[in-house]
Amino acid sequence: MSMQQQPKVNAKLHAPVGQLVRDEVADRVLCHICGRWFRALGSHVRVHGLTADDYRAAFGLFATKALSSYEYSSARSATQRRVYQSSPHTRDNLAPGRRLAGTGVLNTLARRTSPQRRAAQLDELRAGRATRTRAARENLREALRELGYSDVGEGLATLYGERQSSMEALARRLGVGRATLRRALTEHGVPLRGSGVNTDAGRRSRVATNIARTADRVGTPDLRQWLRERRAEGWSLRRLARHLDRSVPWIRARLADGES
């Protein structure tokens, strides 16, 4: 836009930059500059020294979206379709543009970064996050119901607070992510344990998790039996530790598991 084309605006715009304000009842759109309502802004903005493209650029609007009311846009689209279908000359004139659209160039132009597009993307992102959050909460509520807890707060206080289940073990048991569980604990007033605080339940949970992972690594349902068989074959504790990527004391403890 040249200096001569810069819009003369009031100190305060009549609509936010990046937003085309519509009156759904009157089916009109609002001019950012003068605050008047129109069925279409494309011709009106000329009185402000702007083309429609200049106006879109000046106020951060979509490069390819109509500056008009929904009813007006629909009526105009219907008219254009009728003309296109009935006029070979019109189809010939529009053929280069259709070919260009097929290359993806027009799609790139339509996605030109603008405040309006950014606002739309943020709205979609927020809506998606809200949907995922609701789904996660419902999954948590259903999992607790299956365990016999009709109240989410009571179930979390019992399992995490009283029974001292670890965050990881409880999240896995309930089939939710740790972030979802942590958020639910906070929302329901269940105190979170510090990252350095160990509990007997937490230690047992971590041991069980490590045993399961190690057993899966060597493809056995019974790690202790597997270890005893390797020892009977002459494997040293050090060799077992290297093979399983565990410490010698850890291997020794697993061999002793279950012994009185």
Side-chain angles (χ1 to χ4, degrees):
M1 216 174 349
S2 65
M3 293 300 295
Q4 291 76 16
Q5 291 175 311
Q6 291 291 337
K8 296 179 180 179
V9 300
N10 298 327
K12 183 177 180 181
L13 294 177
H14 294 277
V17 172
Q19 181 178 349
L20 185 62
V21 177
R22 289 185 168 92
D23 184 330
E24 304 295 345
V25 176
D27 199 37
R28 295 290 188 271
V29 289
L30 180 66
C31 175
H32 287 73
I33 301 171
C34 65
R36 295 165 61 196
W37 295 88
F38 299 89
R39 291 186 68 201
L41 295 178
S43 57
H44 161 69
V45 296
R46 294 173 187 167
V47 304
H48 299 300
L50 300 173
T51 66
D53 286 341
D54 290 336
Y55 185 87
R56 292 185 183 96
F59 298 107
L61 303 176
F62 282 123
T64 57
K65 294 292 186 181
L67 300 174
S68 57
S69 67
Y70 289 124
E71 182 181 353
Y72 182 86
S73 296
S74 298
R76 187 174 180 183
S77 296
T79 300
Q80 290 173 337
R81 281 196 298 272
R82 286 195 298 271
V83 171
Y84 180 83
Q85 293 167 356
S86 62
S87 172
H89 179 67
T90 299
R91 290 197 294 273
D92 290 341
N93 287 340
L94 294 178
R98 291 178 63 84
R99 287 194 294 270
L100 188 62
T103 66
V105 173
L106 293 185
N107 187 53
T108 300
L109 293 175
R111 293 178 178 274
R112 185 184 68 181
T113 300
S114 71
Q116 187 182 19
R117 177 165 182 77
R118 181 58 180 160
Q121 290 173 330
L122 290 175
D123 286 343
E124 292 175 1
L125 183 61
R126 283 191 288 267
R129 285 175 175 168
T131 298
R132 290 192 295 274
T133 298
R134 286 194 296 271
R137 285 174 174 168
E138 183 55 36
N139 290 340
L140 175 63
R141 188 176 295 109
E142 183 60 31
L144 287 168
R145 273 199 211 101
E146 292 179 358
L147 293 176
Y149 300 100
S150 58
D151 183 80
V152 174
E154 178 188 357
L156 294 176
T158 300
L159 296 172
Y160 180 80
E162 296 177 14
R163 299 184 184 177
Q164 297 286 289
S165 293
S166 70
M167 185 78 69
E168 181 179 356
L170 186 55
R172 187 169 57 251
R173 183 179 182 185
L174 296 175
V176 299
R178 292 182 63 178
T180 296
L181 177 58
R182 182 179 294 274
R183 184 165 52 245
L185 289 167
T186 301
E187 290 174 353
H188 289 277
V190 180
L192 298 177
R193 292 188 292 273
S195 58
V197 177
N198 289 320
T199 64
D200 290 339
R203 281 189 288 270
R204 287 194 298 271
S205 174
R206 287 191 292 276
V207 169
T209 297
N210 287 331
I211 290 174
R213 288 175 178 172
T214 306
D216 184 64
R217 178 174 180 172
V218 294
T220 179
D222 187 338
L223 181 62
R224 181 168 178 264
Q225 182 60 33
W226 185 91
L227 290 171
R228 296 182 68 174
E229 290 173 356
R230 300 293 84 74
R231 287 288 282 166
E233 294 172 2
W235 287 41
S236 66
L237 293 177
R238 190 178 298 276
R239 181 183 176 185
L240 286 168
R242 285 198 304 268
H243 185 75
L244 299 177
D245 195 23
R246 296 290 176 184
S247 66
V248 169
W250 191 89
I251 298 296
R252 187 180 290 115
R254 300 293 74 75
L255 285 167
D257 284 344
E259 293 180 356
S260 58

